[in-house]
Amino acid sequence: MKDNQINPTTSDASVAESSSLTSEQYRKKMQRRKEVQDQRIADASLEKGLVIVNTGNGKGKTTASLGMVLRSLGHGYKVAIIQFIKGAWEPSEKKAFSAWKESGQLMFHAMGEGFTWETQDRDRDIEKAQAAWNKGLEYINNPEYRLVLLDEINIAIKLGYLRVEEVLDGLSQKPERNHVILTGRGAPQSLIERADLVTEMNLVKHPFRDQAVKAQPGIEY
């Protein structure tokens, strides 16, 4: 089976099994499942700050990260967002989060000058990536910022604008309870191994690639 095809076998089998049960059998099955789940929750007693990596060729890496940003803001935590590549755009997210930005709860730094094929200046791209990393490191080391999002940093590492060893060293300095999210396709293996939570967005279909549909407000930006 190709990577971009969905395998329905497991879910279909589960649905078929459930539909064949009597009401009492189904109730007992769900009760057992709840007992297992409750035990897993009870056993998960450790609390720690996480290094989170969202990578892969599929859409949604930044979007998923902004969901965690929203949750953190809702809990009253201070958050910092540093954009490494998309800084030439005026993102709608920046407007949506403006109330928290004005209150000082959220710091938003769009420090890139756009995608690398637009800038066509490697030295300047390296300079901008290093400046973005230095800014991100300030927040990583600041215990007041419970969550730091380093958006598209994986691309900066992949293109050689930042050394992964430098990033790993910076992550080792974060306060114990604070979280750092690193997004972008092509996350290096050493970063994946260091991370506590890694999600790979796999591309199945994309309207730009498959239908020549342009980027649209509310979906891509």
Side-chain angles (χ1 to χ4, degrees), residues 45-70:
S45 58
L46 180 64
E47 182 176 350
K48 60 173 287 188
L50 304 177
V51 172
I52 301 167
V53 172
N54 288 339
T55 191
N57 293 329
K59 174 178 167 53
K61 297 176 284 294
T62 296
T63 304
S65 302
L66 291 174
M68 285 185 271
V69 166
L70 187 60

Side-chain angles (χ1 to χ4, degrees), residues 131-149:
W133 168 244
N134 291 339
K135 179 61 67 175
L137 196 56
E138 291 179 17
Y139 290 109
I140 290 173
N141 287 323
N142 188 336
E144 292 185 7
Y145 285 85
R146 191 68 177 272
L147 176 66
V148 178
L149 168 56

Side-chain angles (χ1 to χ4, degrees), residues 22-160:
T22 66
S23 297
E24 181 60 21
Q25 289 173 329
Y26 182 81
R27 187 190 66 79
K28 290 182 177 180
K29 179 181 178 180
M30 292 301 105
Q31 184 179 31
R32 288 194 298 270
R33 182 173 295 179
K34 183 178 185 304
E35 290 170 356
V36 171
Q37 196 64 25
D38 287 347
Q39 187 59 53
R40 288 176 176 171
I41 293 173
D43 291 341
S45 58
L46 180 64
E47 182 176 350
K48 60 173 287 188
L50 304 177
V51 172
I52 301 167
V53 172
N54 288 339
T55 191
N57 293 329
K59 174 178 167 53
K61 297 176 284 294
T62 296
T63 304
S65 302
L66 291 174
M68 285 185 271
V69 166
L70 187 60
R71 287 175 179 168
S72 294
L73 292 171
H75 281 288
Y77 300 143
K78 297 186 76 171
V79 178
I81 299 174
I82 295 89
Q83 287 189 315
F84 278 74
I85 302 295
K86 296 176 181 174
W89 293 21
E90 184 63 26
S92 56
E93 293 94 338
K94 194 172 182 179
K95 296 179 183 178
F97 289 131
S98 61
W100 287 288
K101 189 173 184 295
E102 291 170 4
S103 72
Q105 188 181 348
L106 171 67
M107 300 300 293
F108 197 119
H109 299 275
M111 301 189 67
E113 291 186 329
F115 293 100
T116 52
W117 57 84
E118 296 287 354
T119 62
Q120 301 176 15
D121 187 336
R122 179 176 175 81
D123 290 340
R124 187 162 179 81
D125 286 341
I126 293 173
E127 178 185 341
K128 289 293 182 179
Q130 189 63 57
W133 168 244
N134 291 339
K135 179 61 67 175
L137 196 56
E138 291 179 17
Y139 290 109
I140 290 173
N141 287 323
N142 188 336
E144 292 185 7
Y145 285 85
R146 191 68 177 272
L147 176 66
V148 178
L149 168 56
L150 306 174
D151 188 40
E152 303 286 8
I153 188 174
N154 295 338
I155 293 179
I157 296 172
K158 181 180 179 180
L159 294 173

Side-chain angles (χ1 to χ4, degrees), residues 163-189:
R163 293 186 303 108
V164 66
E165 294 81 8
E166 182 179 13
V167 174
L168 292 172
D169 181 65
L171 293 174
S172 70
Q173 301 172 32
K174 78 174 187 63
E176 178 62 27
R177 296 186 64 203
N178 291 7
H179 311 293
V180 180
I181 308 174
L182 306 94
T183 76
R185 64 183 62 194
Q189 186 61 35

